[in-house]
Amino acid sequence: MEDSLDKLYKNQGLIYKYILYFVTVGCIVFFFPRGGKFKYEFQKGKPWQYENLYAPFDFSIRKGEEEISREQQSLREKQIPYYTYDTAVVAEVSQNFREDFQVLLDSQQLTERQKRRLSRIGEDILLELYRNGILQNTSGREVPEFLYLVRNNEASRVRTDALYSLSEVDSLVRDILKSRRAGDYYSIFQDVFFNAVRPNVTYDAELSEKELADELSKISTTRGNVDEGKLIIARGEVVEAENLNILNSLKAEFESELWSANNQYLILFGYTILVALVLMMLFLFLKKYRPAIYRNNIKVTFIFFNVLLMVFLTTLVVKYDEAYVFVVPLCILPLILKTFFDARLGLFVHVLTVLILGFVVPNSFEYIFLQIIAGIVTILTVSELYKRANLFISVGQITLIYIVGYFAFHIIHEGNLDDMNFFTFGFFLLNGMITLFAQPLIYIYEKIFGMVSDVSLLELSDTNSRLLKELSNKAPGTFHHSLQVANLAEAAANAVGANAMLTRVGALYHDIGKMNNPTYFTENQVTNVNPHDDIEPRESAEIIINHVIEGIEMAQRNNIPDRVIDFIRTHHGTTRVYYFYKKEMERNPETDEVAFTYPGPIPFSKETAILMMADSVEAASKSLVNPTYPVIEEFVEKIVNGQMKSNQFLNANITFKEIEMVKKVLKQKLTNIYHLRVEYPE
């Protein structure tokens, strides 16, 4: 039992990677759309590259979205709207008219015969007005030639001009009075009709929309059939509008039939194998070429999380509307990975992610081509993100590549620019704007995963930061030494293509542990009094060595990133405190060398190796009496070769050629620092 638990504890990192691997594969397959994959790839305007294709079964030819949209639009334009005839309004108007008109007639000096005659005329006018009704004001709505008038739950088709509007009431009253030779009484009728008449025919939106929906639902999504065995397309024939529609119909029918209860588990199994292969390539790449990242489970989780995020966003957009697929800012992935790791890893992960998305997106070849080209442009252009203009320039170039690529594909497919969808260019611009979100996203990732970007390094390099300010006050000599080392190391890192910003920051913080006992280090001694003269060499060595451990603890308390703390850990490697070791050897030849040796580890990156060389050379250069170029050259060779001889660079990915380049830079810089000046007369 204990052995099993011990093995489990020792292999917990590997077990975590297995769990991460299988969970990621499962999530990606779960995000995939449910459906089989048509075994033929085809594009409009390109020749059919396979053998003659015959219909494997009977299927219907599906109408394209544009064709269905045209039919729907035609139905909307031809639709006859429904209007409701309100009889209650007619009854109310009639009642009010009789009462008001009778009162008005009684106030006039008219005979009973005249009153009865005018009352009949008024009733006739009302009857005419409400025979088909008075239409309510239709401002903002186009009135059709015909409409359905719903009266007593029965709809009848009538001409719109058979209905009256309020503006026509006056002219109708005039015409009827004139025809009945009662024009002299117009003023009486005008007053009463102006107050009494109200519209009673209103637009019935609910009924109209319901009828339109019923009509739209009757539109057939297919037109014609293809019988089994019929030739669909011959080898070498160009895929054009006519056979493209048939091929798309066959593809949709094939995938819907393929995704049945019997086949769905096999299809899922196939997807799982392919996704597992892609992610396995990622694991193998990390293990072989990025072992430091592979061993760090947080970094591996970070990479897999970003892949999963991009797959999730893309599948979500495709399910909503595949036309928006290029809105997803996929180039954020290589941009972020290059920021935190390196360009090669960023491009590799981007390509693998695009291959996975090839199962999801329409026109997979076009999508994969554009995204890979855009990813390459991202890797080539994005650098020094702490300079704000760089990200905007890179995003502009990425957007331009998308637009040019889409433009070229459209010409290949259509052969002209007539149907160019310029709205798609807006998607690319939106993609670029979202890509700018990479800056705040980098900050969020730094806080969540404890990563370090160039922006954070730029902040740490500020000599007015609290820790460096404290170093300059407590140990000014060490602070000046750190600045000199930073300049040397940064120049050397630039020469060999290492991360110059990281190297500079590491150099600025590498000796912060000396703040605890500043006077025990020669660069901080302003008098001839040396505290080491009063203590044993072994104790002196312990104080010197402890500045590494104390520096690590101090950096951790101040939330300095681990990538910077690595420089504190490794800047002396496993070298000896040689001066005090020799003093102790003079007193006791059998002295244990371990007590005078730094605990390590030795440098394990190009940047930490450069710092070790720059630190040793700068510190020792203070002892040069006559620093001419030959002296400096011999001096640098001696120190760096001694470090190589003691195997300090075995774990660092730095070559002999790069070490020679570093030595050359150090010689040039030291020569510039110690160049001879002209002696001015007093």
Side-chain angles (χ1 to χ4, degrees):
M1 182 66 180
E2 290 182 2
D3 291 340
S4 300
L5 290 174
D6 188 50
K7 287 182 180 178
L8 185 65
Y9 178 77
K10 289 180 179 178
N11 296 307
Q12 59 179 335
L14 186 61
I15 294 170
Y16 174 80
K17 289 182 179 68
Y18 279 126
I19 294 172
L20 179 66
Y21 175 75
F22 288 116
V23 168
T24 306
V25 171
C27 289
I28 290 175
V29 174
F30 176 77
F31 294 152
F32 275 7
R34 300 294 179 260
K37 194 74 176 175
F38 194 49
K39 60 183 177 180
Y40 300 110
E41 285 285 341
F42 57 89
Q43 287 183 321
K44 183 179 179 181
K46 298 186 72 175
W48 182 255
Q49 299 175 349
Y50 310 96
E51 297 298 328
N52 295 355
L53 178 62
Y54 298 90
F57 45 75
D58 295 340
F59 65 93
S60 300
I61 302 174
R62 302 191 180 192
K63 295 178 182 177
E65 290 185 5
E66 292 184 3
E67 186 176 355
I68 294 176
S69 179
R70 284 197 301 270
E71 291 185 15
Q72 291 175 341
Q73 184 61 31
S74 176
L75 268 179
R76 290 189 179 93
E77 292 172 356
K78 294 178 181 178
Q79 185 205 14
I80 299 177
Y82 283 79
Y83 284 77
T84 302
Y85 184 97
D86 193 341
T87 55
V89 171
V90 178
E92 185 181 349
V93 168
S94 298
Q95 179 67 26
N96 293 338
F97 170 77
R98 292 189 186 100
E99 293 175 358
D100 295 345
F101 196 56
Q102 188 61 44
V103 171
L104 189 61
L105 290 176
D106 291 341
S107 66
Q108 302 292 323
Q109 295 179 352
L110 299 171
T111 65
E112 289 298 323
R113 182 180 178 184
Q114 289 175 320
K115 290 179 181 179
R116 286 195 298 271
R117 178 170 175 259
L118 292 178
S119 294
R120 284 196 301 272
I121 294 173
E123 293 289 345
D124 292 342
I125 293 173
L126 275 180
L127 186 65
E128 174 62 24
L129 282 173
Y130 288 106
R131 180 167 54 86
N132 288 318
I134 299 176
L135 191 63
Q136 193 176 38
N137 185 14
T138 57
S139 59
R141 184 185 302 109
E142 185 178 350
V143 180
E145 184 179 359
F146 291 92
L147 56 81
Y148 283 114
L149 191 62
V150 181
R151 187 187 316 197
N152 298 325
N153 294 326
E154 291 185 4
S156 58
R157 179 174 170 175
V158 299
R159 292 183 64 88
T160 305
D161 55 15
L163 279 74
Y164 291 99
S165 64
L166 285 175
S167 60
E168 294 174 326
V169 172
D170 186 69
S171 60
L172 177 68
V173 171
R174 286 180 182 276
D175 292 343
I176 292 179
L177 289 176
K178 186 177 181 181
S179 65
R180 303 284 285 271
R181 297 179 181 178
D184 295 338
Y185 302 102
Y186 168 73
S187 59
I188 299 175
F189 283 88
Q190 184 186 34
D191 292 339
V192 72
F193 273 102
F194 181 79
N195 294 322
V197 171
R198 285 191 295 126
N200 72 318
V201 177
T202 56
Y203 174 67
D204 193 331
E206 183 179 355
L207 183 58
S208 298
E209 290 297 326
K210 182 182 177 182
E211 289 297 319
L212 177 60
D214 289 341
E215 291 297 321
L216 292 176
S217 66
K218 295 176 184 177
I219 294 178
S220 174
T221 57
T222 62
R223 53 173 177 80
N225 295 296
V226 176
D227 298 327
E228 181 180 355
K230 181 180 178 181
L231 177 65
I232 296 175
I233 190 168
R235 181 181 177 88
E237 186 178 348
V238 177
V239 179
E240 294 178 325
E242 185 176 348
N243 49 27
L244 175 64
N245 199 12
I246 298 176
L247 285 171
N248 283 327
S249 302
L250 175 61
K251 179 181 178 181
E253 193 73 25
F254 182 85
E255 291 178 350
S256 63
E257 284 195 8
L258 190 62
W259 188 260
S260 61
N262 298 327
N263 297 332
Q264 58 179 318
Y265 296 109
L266 281 174
I267 293 172
L268 281 175
F269 181 67
Y271 277 140
T272 303
I273 291 175
L274 293 174
V275 174
L277 282 174
V278 172
L279 295 183
M280 188 184 295
M281 296 303 105
L282 177 54
F283 261 124
L284 292 175
F285 176 86
L286 293 175
K287 188 174 182 180
K288 186 174 178 64
Y289 297 106
R290 300 293 183 273
I293 297 174
Y294 178 78
R295 289 191 296 268
N296 190 320
N297 282 339
I298 294 177
K299 292 181 179 179
V300 174
T301 304
F302 174 75
I303 294 170
F304 274 72
F305 171 79
N306 278 279
V307 172
L308 198 59
L309 179 63
M310 288 302 162
V311 173
F312 170 72
L313 289 176
T314 305
T315 51
L316 193 67
V317 170
V318 169
K319 287 178 182 178
Y320 174 73
D321 189 344
E322 62 185 29
Y324 295 98
V325 69
F326 283 107
V327 174
V328 180
L330 203 63
C331 287
I332 281 184
L333 181 60
L335 191 155
I336 287 178
L337 293 180
K338 182 184 178 183
T339 300
F340 288 119
F341 303 112
D342 60 86
R344 187 177 176 188
L345 176 61
L347 183 59
F348 189 83
V349 174
H350 177 73
V351 171
L352 292 183
T353 306
V354 171
L355 290 178
I356 292 173
L357 293 175
F359 298 116
V360 180
V361 298
N363 297 325
S364 55
F365 173 78
E366 177 181 332
Y367 180 85
I368 291 172
F369 181 89
L370 284 177
Q371 293 293 5
I372 289 179
I373 292 296
I376 293 172
V377 171
T378 304
I379 293 298
L380 293 176
T381 59
V382 173
S383 61
E384 299 180 329
L385 283 182
Y386 56 87
K387 296 179 180 178
R388 289 173 295 180
N390 286 5
L391 181 61
F392 286 92
I393 294 170
S394 298
V395 167
Q397 293 171 332
I398 294 165
T399 305
L400 181 62
I401 287 296
Y402 275 129
I403 292 174
V404 171
Y406 174 79
F407 180 80
F409 271 112
H410 181 83
I411 293 175
I412 293 172
H413 295 162
E414 303 294 337
N416 56 61
L417 301 178
D418 297 340
D419 299 325
M420 177 71 74
N421 186 5
F422 292 98
F423 194 66
T424 306
F425 294 155
F427 295 156
F428 296 135
L429 294 174
L430 182 59
N431 180 304
M433 293 177 64
I434 299 174
T435 305
L436 293 174
F437 185 69
Q439 278 285 25
L441 190 61
I442 288 170
Y443 177 78
I444 294 170
Y445 280 151
E446 286 179 341
K447 298 306 177 185
I448 295 175
F449 292 95
M451 313 290 281
V452 183
S453 68
D454 284 352
V455 179
S456 295
L457 292 175
L458 183 65
E459 293 173 357
L460 289 169
S461 67
D462 183 7
T463 55
N464 288 315
S465 63
R466 191 179 64 81
L467 200 56
L468 293 181
K469 198 76 173 176
E470 187 179 356
L471 178 64
S472 67
N473 291 329
K474 291 184 178 180
T478 300
F479 177 71
H480 184 262
H481 158 73
S482 298
L483 287 176
Q484 292 283 62
V485 173
N487 292 332
L488 292 174
E490 184 180 20
N494 280 320
V496 299
N499 189 330
M501 179 63 72
L502 177 62
T503 308
R504 179 176 184 82
V505 173
L508 289 173
Y509 287 86
H510 79 284
D511 270 344
I512 58 174
K514 292 181 178 180
M515 279 193 287
N516 288 345
N517 296 293
T519 57
Y520 283 86
F521 299 90
T522 55
E523 67 266 22
N524 299 311
Q525 295 169 0
V526 294
T527 65
N528 292 328
V529 178
N530 190 338
H532 288 289
D533 295 338
D534 300 327
I535 59 177
E536 297 293 324
R538 185 181 294 269
E539 189 178 350
S540 295
E542 184 180 354
I543 293 173
I544 299 298
I545 291 171
N546 280 345
H547 88 273
V548 173
I549 299 168
E550 291 168 356
I552 294 170
E553 294 172 351
M554 194 177 297
Q556 290 173 339
R557 285 197 303 270
N558 286 273
N559 297 319
I560 302 298
D562 283 340
R563 289 182 73 187
V564 178
I565 295 176
D566 287 340
F567 287 87
I568 303 174
R569 288 191 180 99
T570 61
H571 74 279
H572 284 295
T574 55
T575 57
R576 290 174 298 177
V577 185
Y578 191 74
Y579 177 80
F580 294 107
Y581 174 66
K582 291 296 289 182
K583 284 185 68 174
E584 185 67 19
M585 282 286 289
E586 292 172 1
R587 299 172 55 184
N588 182 12
E590 296 181 1
T591 298
D592 184 9
E593 186 179 349
V594 175
F596 295 85
T597 304
Y598 285 97
I602 60 176
F604 47 79
S605 68
K606 195 178 295 185
E607 290 78 12
T608 51
I610 290 170
L611 174 64
M612 173 180 272
M613 289 184 266
D615 180 43
S616 300
V617 167
E618 202 285 330
S621 67
K622 298 292 192 298
S623 63
L624 294 176
V625 179
N626 184 24
T628 59
Y629 184 78
V631 171
I632 291 173
E633 184 176 17
E634 182 182 356
F635 162 77
V636 172
E637 290 286 344
K638 179 181 177 182
I639 290 178
V640 176
N641 290 342
Q643 291 172 338
M644 293 173 63
K645 191 174 181 180
S646 61
N647 298 323
Q648 296 301 308
F649 305 137
L650 281 182
N651 294 340
N653 58 335
I654 189 167
T655 64
F656 285 116
K657 181 179 179 181
E658 288 170 338
I659 291 175
E660 290 299 320
M661 293 172 67
V662 171
K663 289 194 289 187
K664 183 179 179 181
V665 171
L666 294 177
K667 293 171 187 175
Q668 291 174 344
K669 289 292 180 180
L670 287 175
T671 303
N672 292 336
I673 293 172
Y674 294 111
H675 70 280
L676 295 177
R677 296 180 179 272
V678 177
E679 186 175 348
Y680 290 95
E682 295 184 0

